[in-house]
Amino acid sequence: MLDIPSSVRVDVEALLAAQNHMGVCDAIEQYAPVGKPDTMTAPHFPKVAGIDSTVPPPAHTVAPASPAPAPPSSPGAPGAPGALIQDRLAGWVSDLTTLHELTERLARTAVMDDALHEVLRAGAALVGARRGLVVLEPADGLGPDTTVGLGLARADLGHIETVPRGATSYGRILDRSDGTGEPEVHADLLSEDGLDPRHREVAARLGYAASFALPLATEAAGRLGAAVWLYDEPAEPVERQRHLVGLYTRYATEHFARLLELERARTKSRTIAEELLPPRLPRVAGVQLAARHRTGPRGGGDWYDALPLPEGALGLTVGSVTGSGASAVAAMGRLRASLRAYAVMEGEDPVAVLSDLELLLRLTEPARSATALFAYCEPALRKVVLAGAGHSPPLVIGERRTEFVETSLSAPLGMLACWEAPSVEFSPEPGETVLLYTDGLLHRTGDPMDRAFARLHAAAAGVPRTIRDDPGAIADHVLHTVLPGGLDAADSDEDVVLLAARFE
């Protein structure tokens, strides 16, 4: 039984207030003594997951008439003021618990597409709808612009997009100056006067009869888009449902703003990294080339390069700069450009190329280290001379063998005051492919390095015979076999680079 402080007088009028859907806090405040309130006169609930637990204003606008005297009832009897207050409090707790669970689920989403789908599902449950769509269209015009549906196929979304923008509820919301304002409610679309004929046709085709739309906008985040939920029959959410979904979408908009900022930063970093890598691989007689590159969410410093050299030679290199983000991408660009210059001047001596790169790194960026591998190839002679600095050994894939090239051990660039390690020379057979890769391929597996190397070797040995003459297909097979289940494209701090060279 709820213990009501003696300073609060609850009489028969509180019963009528509850029956008229007045919030219990409003009723208590109305009938509390004038003057300084006592401690804990009205219950105050803490915010849950950033949700303000304020109760919406009463639905009525006219004060209720003075009630006739009613016979007293016992506190525990049904309809007693105490029982009604307890019911109201139980409803608040239930609503706050629901919002807490839904916002926690939304907070666990780290990708914009997942967050949009989660908001559609949660909103549909809150307003009692079965289908819906979210239109993401940031007001700053920088994108990304997208439309995501719940219970709507791509063709259904295409039908909705054929309706003139000004005739749709989300279109009217997005066309407002700030994208905010009241929700767009259409309780019975098909009988609504002035409905656009195309909108009526699409609603009949898709089988929805009512809609409820909310802006995805806050003062801090600005306008990000609009959410629409569709009803199969004429309907509209009640005041309580509108209040709950309004609280939820305000939190969701702030979450969208954070994900949007992160996604834009990732896109910029990824674009810069891609622009710093070669746009295409050169054509050199006697060898076929293919490369695969996967950039982590924050952008990393892995690179690859293939450089035509004098007398029909070819320089191949892969490497990785420590760290991630814009600084690592910039350092990668500087090292790759410097390595190209050293390769043109003294590419036939891979040790000299990496020695010069080591000196440059020590003098210009003493706080940074990198791994690198450079190979000088003569395709006409099928001769490869390579040297590595802290890098994983290449893998030779052929009909009769699949083995790692034995290379000399060396610390990464920038780790020694004086670096030099002997180069190694080997001759691939006709039809064999030399696979160069960065450590990200091994780290993304999550296995210890010895098991990761074993997984890589098994993947290379299992390349089907039908694709062994295609270096691109070989690289794809190794990538998807070593990193199954989408790990090759999943968010990871590690970049992945593969460079395959098939000798004819």
Side-chain angles (χ1 to χ4, degrees):
M1 180 62 65
L2 185 64
D3 186 13
I4 305 297
S6 58
S7 60
V8 180
R9 180 171 60 85
V10 179
D11 53 18
V12 178
E13 291 182 356
L15 174 60
L16 293 179
Q19 292 174 341
N20 284 312
H21 305 287
M22 176 181 289
V24 67
C25 280
D26 298 328
I28 292 176
E29 181 179 0
Q30 179 175 346
Y31 300 110
V34 178
K36 183 177 180 181
D38 294 339
T39 304
M40 296 303 291
T41 298
H44 294 278
F45 296 94
K47 291 184 177 181
V48 179
I51 298 302
D52 187 0
S53 59
T54 306
V55 179
H60 62 269
T61 57
V62 180
S66 300
S73 58
S74 61
L84 290 173
I85 293 175
Q86 284 184 322
D87 290 343
R88 180 66 68 178
L89 289 175
W92 284 356
V93 172
S94 176
D95 290 345
L96 290 174
T97 301
T98 299
L99 287 174
H100 180 70
E101 293 174 353
L102 294 177
T103 51
E104 272 197 336
R105 288 172 53 180
L106 179 61
R108 287 194 292 267
T109 58
V111 181
M112 180 63 76
D113 191 64
D114 293 343
L116 293 174
H117 282 94
E118 177 61 33
V119 167
L120 277 176
R121 288 191 293 267
L126 289 174
V127 302
R130 188 173 63 89
R131 293 178 289 176
L133 67 151
V134 169
V135 180
L136 189 66
E137 188 177 302
D140 57 13
L142 300 179
D145 296 348
T146 185
T147 301
V148 175
L150 172 68
L152 297 170
R154 175 55 58 183
D156 299 334
L157 294 176
H159 286 305
I160 294 175
E161 290 172 351
T162 63
V163 179
R165 181 183 176 97
T168 61
S169 54
Y170 68 84
R172 286 189 289 271
I173 289 175
L174 296 176
D175 288 341
R176 295 171 188 165
S177 59
D178 57 356
T180 59
E182 295 299 319
E184 288 275 343
V185 184
H186 299 276
D188 192 350
L189 276 170
L190 299 182
S191 63
E192 184 176 299
D193 294 334
L195 185 67
D196 185 272
R198 180 57 184 165
H199 195 177
R200 190 185 308 275
E201 178 185 346
V202 170
R205 178 192 293 265
L206 300 184
Y208 65 87
S211 67
F212 176 72
L214 279 175
L216 298 176
T218 63
E219 184 177 350
R223 189 209 75 194
L224 298 184
V228 186
W229 289 277
L230 307 175
Y231 296 88
D232 296 341
E233 301 291 340
E236 62 178 301
V238 299
E239 182 66 23
R240 171 176 166 273
Q241 291 174 316
R242 295 189 190 191
H243 181 64
L244 291 177
V245 76
L247 293 174
Y248 179 76
T249 53
R250 283 199 290 273
Y251 175 85
T253 302
E254 297 293 341
H255 186 65
F256 288 158
R258 292 188 291 270
L259 292 181
L260 186 62
E261 182 179 359
L262 181 59
E263 182 64 26
R264 287 175 175 176
R266 290 175 178 176
T267 301
K268 290 179 181 178
S269 180
R270 189 180 302 115
T271 301
I272 294 173
E274 294 292 343
E275 290 296 325
L276 291 174
L277 295 174
R280 64 182 62 87
L281 296 174
R283 294 179 178 271
V284 178
V287 65
Q288 294 176 291
L289 300 174
R292 298 293 182 266
H293 183 218
R294 299 291 186 269
T295 304
R298 292 184 293 174
D302 286 19
W303 82 81
Y304 67 92
D305 205 352
L307 180 65
L309 298 174
E311 301 179 358
L314 176 68
L316 301 177
T317 178
V318 295
S320 176
V321 175
T322 55
S324 60
S327 63
V329 172
M332 176 268 287
R334 292 191 292 269
L335 283 183
R336 174 178 168 267
S338 301
L339 192 148
R340 289 174 69 90
Y342 298 145
V344 170
M345 293 186 295
E346 47 194 4
E348 67 279 358
D349 186 356
V351 171
V353 172
L354 293 184
S355 296
D356 292 342
L357 198 63
E358 154 72 19
L359 179 61
L360 176 71
L361 189 64
R362 264 194 301 119
L363 294 178
T364 60
E365 301 187 56
R368 193 181 296 277
S369 64
T371 65
L373 187 145
F374 179 76
Y376 178 80
C377 307
E378 297 181 79
L381 303 177
R382 290 195 303 278
K383 175 184 174 182
V384 179
V385 181
L386 65 86
H391 208 81
S392 301
L395 189 60
V396 179
I397 305 171
E399 293 288 342
R400 296 191 179 97
R401 62 172 177 169
T402 300
E403 60 187 23
F404 293 101
V405 177
E406 294 292 338
T407 58
S408 56
L409 297 176
S410 170
L413 300 174
M415 299 292 288
L416 295 176
C418 179
W419 178 88
E420 184 173 349
S423 60
V424 297
E425 179 180 327
F426 68 97
S427 298
E429 298 294 330
E432 289 187 336
T433 298
V434 178
L435 183 67
L436 283 63
Y437 54 93
T438 57
D439 293 342
L441 178 66
L442 306 174
H443 292 160
R444 279 202 183 192
T445 63
D447 294 335
M449 291 303 290
D450 55 343
R451 295 184 60 184
F453 274 115
R455 177 183 291 190
L456 174 59
H457 186 276
V463 173
R465 293 180 180 273
T466 55
I467 64 172
R468 286 182 179 267
D469 58 347
D470 183 355
I474 292 175
D476 287 333
H477 173 83
V478 171
L479 182 64
H480 298 314
T481 304
V482 175
L483 301 175
L487 286 176
D488 60 313
D491 286 350
S492 171
D493 291 339
E494 300 287 344
D495 282 11
V496 175
V497 163
L498 289 89
L499 180 60
R502 181 183 181 272
F503 289 83
E504 297 175 351

